[in-house]
Amino acid sequence: MEEMVENTKKMKNKTSYQPSNSWSMKFFPMATIVVFVSFFLGLGAAFLDFGIDKIRVWLFQWDKGRMIYFFLLPVIWMGLFFISSWLLNQFILAAIKQGKCRSPFAARILAFLSSLGFYLFLDLGHYMYFQDLHLLALLDHLFLRGTNLQNPYFYLAALIEFIILSYLLTYWAKDHALWPFCEDCLKWFEFRAYISFNREDREKLMDAFQKEDWKNLPDPLDNHEKEKAGYEIHISMCPSCRFKGPAQLILCEIDKDDFALDLCKTWLEKGDFEEWWNQFPSGKQGYK
Ligand SMILES: [Zn+2]
Ligand SMILES: [Zn+2]
C-alpha cells in the first residue's frame, strides 16, 4: 500500500522539459539569410532541371536515348527536388541551432517561409525556362503532351507538393527547437553518457523506464560487453552543468548495424539526475 502511494506521488511529480520560447540575437539575421537562401535554392534547382532537359536533344539522336531519357528524367528531377529541399532543411536547422532558437513556433515560421520561398522560386524558375511549373513539367513529361496552364488540376498537384514539403520542414524545425537547452549556461544539451542493456530484458526495461521505476531496471551490461547491447539509455545533458544539472533520457533499441531507434524518453530534474546516475556502479556507466 505504501509503495503504491509513493508510486502515484512519483507519477504526479513527473516533469518534462519545457522550452523557454526565446532565441539569441543571432537568430533573426540568420533566419533572414536562410529565407534568401531558399530563393536561390529554388531557382538553382529549376536551372539544373533546365540544363538536364538540354541533354534531351543529345539523347534523342539515337533510339535507345529516348527510353533512357523517359525513365531517367523524372528520377533526376525529383532527385534534384529532394536534394535541394534536404539542403534547405540543413540551413534551417543550422539557423535554429546557431541562433539558439528554443521557440517551436518561431522555428515553424522560419521553416514555412523558407519552404514557401523555395517553392515559389522553383516554380518561377520553371516558368521562366519551360513556361510551366515544377510538378507540372514532370506530369507533362510522364503522362501528357503539351502544357496546359489552364488546367486547375496542375495547380492542385503543385499545391499538394508544396504542402508535403512545408509539412516536413516545419515538423523537423519544431523538433529541433524542442531539443533541451540549459538556460543557465545558454548551451544546447549534448549526448554524453549511456547505459547498456541485454536484448532479452526488453519487457522489464520498457516497463521500468515508462513508469520511471528505476529500482526495477534490469541489470545493465558491463562497459567491456557493451557491444552486445540490444537496448541503451542515451543521456543528454548540459555540457557545462554535466551531472549537476537535469538530463534527458532516451530509451533506444540498437540494431545489428549499431543504429539507435528511439523508443521513449523522459526527463530528470537537477539533483534527481545525479542520484539516478550514481545508482549504477562505475563499471557500467558509459561515457561518450
Ligand atoms: Zn523541377
Ligand atoms: Zn548548464
Side-chain angles (χ1 to χ4, degrees), residues 63-281:
D63 244 14
K64 282 201 184 94
R66 276 171 197 273
M67 284 298 279
I68 293 173
Y69 174 80
F70 186 81
F71 286 109
L72 216 58
L73 191 89
V75 176
I76 296 175
W77 278 12
M78 278 328 267
L80 274 173
F81 178 72
F82 288 127
I83 290 168
S84 37
S85 354
W86 177 83
L87 258 175
L88 179 60
N89 188 45
Q90 297 304 305
F91 276 105
I92 295 169
L93 299 188
I96 291 169
K97 191 166 186 205
Q98 301 302 320
K100 297 181 176 168
C101 169
R102 289 94 82 197
S103 161
F105 180 71
R108 272 202 182 100
I109 297 272
L110 166 63
F112 179 77
L113 290 178
S114 309
S115 44
L116 187 67
F118 171 73
Y119 206 76
L120 282 179
F121 275 79
L122 177 70
D123 273 348
L124 182 74
H126 262 270
Y127 190 74
M128 274 165 27
Y129 302 130
F130 301 108
Q131 275 74 54
D132 61 23
L133 308 176
H134 171 74
L135 195 66
L136 173 58
L138 199 64
L139 293 171
D140 194 34
H141 173 77
L142 283 176
F143 309 112
L144 311 148
R145 288 280 74 114
T147 295
N148 178 7
L149 275 178
Q150 257 64 49
N151 192 334
Y153 288 109
F154 287 143
Y155 296 96
L156 188 67
L159 184 69
I160 290 169
E161 195 184 35
F162 165 69
I163 289 172
I164 293 171
L165 175 76
S166 66
Y167 175 81
L168 287 174
L169 293 188
T170 50
Y171 180 85
W172 289 323
K174 171 217 73 175
D175 219 46
H176 223 63
L178 282 173
W179 181 253
F181 186 90
C182 178
E183 298 293 335
D184 298 328
C185 311
L186 297 177
K187 283 178 181 167
W188 291 106
F189 274 34
E190 288 172 17
F191 170 26
R192 286 295 182 88
Y194 64 108
I195 302 283
S196 310
F197 297 91
N198 260 313
R199 193 165 294 282
E200 296 74 52
D201 289 332
R202 181 190 170 96
E203 232 118 286
K204 209 179 162 196
L205 177 62
M206 292 279 282
D207 197 55
F209 191 94
Q210 276 163 347
K211 291 179 182 152
E212 296 193 26
D213 181 10
W214 307 121
K215 296 277 166 294
N216 283 318
L217 272 179
D219 195 30
L221 289 168
D222 285 330
N223 282 338
H224 61 83
E225 48 182 15
K226 280 194 185 298
E227 58 282 356
K228 287 195 311 192
Y231 295 90
E232 281 174 0
I233 295 180
H234 288 182
I235 305 151
S236 299
M237 61 191 93
C238 166
S240 299
C241 298
R242 313 241 319 144
F243 295 91
K244 302 284 174 210
Q248 173 169 268
L249 312 184
I250 302 180
L251 178 61
C252 313
E253 187 166 0
I254 310 296
D255 75 4
K256 305 214 163 31
D257 306 314
D258 244 10
F259 180 80
L261 175 77
D262 295 3
L263 298 177
C264 42
K265 65 180 179 188
T266 193
W267 178 255
L268 292 179
E269 289 296 345
K270 197 177 189 149
D272 292 348
F273 170 45
E274 196 173 24
E275 193 186 316
W276 181 87
W277 180 247
N278 288 332
Q279 74 178 306
F280 304 106

